[in-house]
Amino acid sequence: MQNLTLQSMRNGASRLLLVQLIITAIVTVIAAYADSILAAYSALMGGVVCVIANLFFIHRFFAFGGAQNATKIVRMMYWAEILKLTISGFLFLVSIRFWHVDAFPFL
């Protein structure tokens, strides 16, 4: 039963990433029509930053899926969230500094 629950959680996390990618694509197209190619590029890069950060979170969170100890699970969740926030911040700074995105659509 535990493995089935863990597998359903992984499936839910995969669906979340897919939904984020779809929303990123929709917002990118809207930004292209409403504003400019730079706005579309910025929206796309913002979405990609979010997806990459969440991908790392999901990978770390499910790294020890069979753990029986609730303390280990909670500790892994906190470390995964810290990693996600660190990656998000780093990619945000890299995007603004080197990829020359427009800040408003990027956010």
Side-chain angles (χ1 to χ4, degrees):
M1 181 69 178
Q2 180 185 2
N3 289 335
L4 182 62
T5 303
L6 184 61
Q7 185 61 37
S8 66
M9 289 174 59
R10 285 184 179 147
N11 290 341
S14 297
R15 283 193 300 269
L16 172 69
L17 288 175
L18 180 62
V19 167
Q20 285 182 329
L21 286 171
I22 291 169
I23 290 172
T24 297
I26 292 169
V27 170
T28 300
V29 170
I30 291 171
Y33 283 114
D35 195 357
S36 66
I37 296 299
L38 177 61
Y41 173 71
S42 300
L44 177 66
M45 294 309 295
V48 168
V49 165
C50 290
V51 169
I52 289 172
N54 282 325
L55 185 65
F56 276 99
F57 174 84
I58 289 168
H59 175 71
R60 289 301 302 160
F61 183 74
F62 289 113
F64 300 104
Q68 297 293 323
N69 190 349
T71 306
K72 288 181 183 177
I73 294 171
V74 171
R75 188 179 308 134
M76 184 54 62
M77 187 178 73
Y78 280 119
W79 279 112
E81 185 65 26
I82 289 169
L83 178 65
K84 181 179 106 170
L85 292 174
T86 303
I87 289 170
S88 295
F90 174 75
L91 290 176
F92 176 78
L93 291 174
V94 168
S95 298
I96 296 295
R97 177 73 175 130
F98 298 108
W99 296 335
H100 307 294
V101 297
D102 191 14
F104 182 69
F106 181 77
L107 297 177

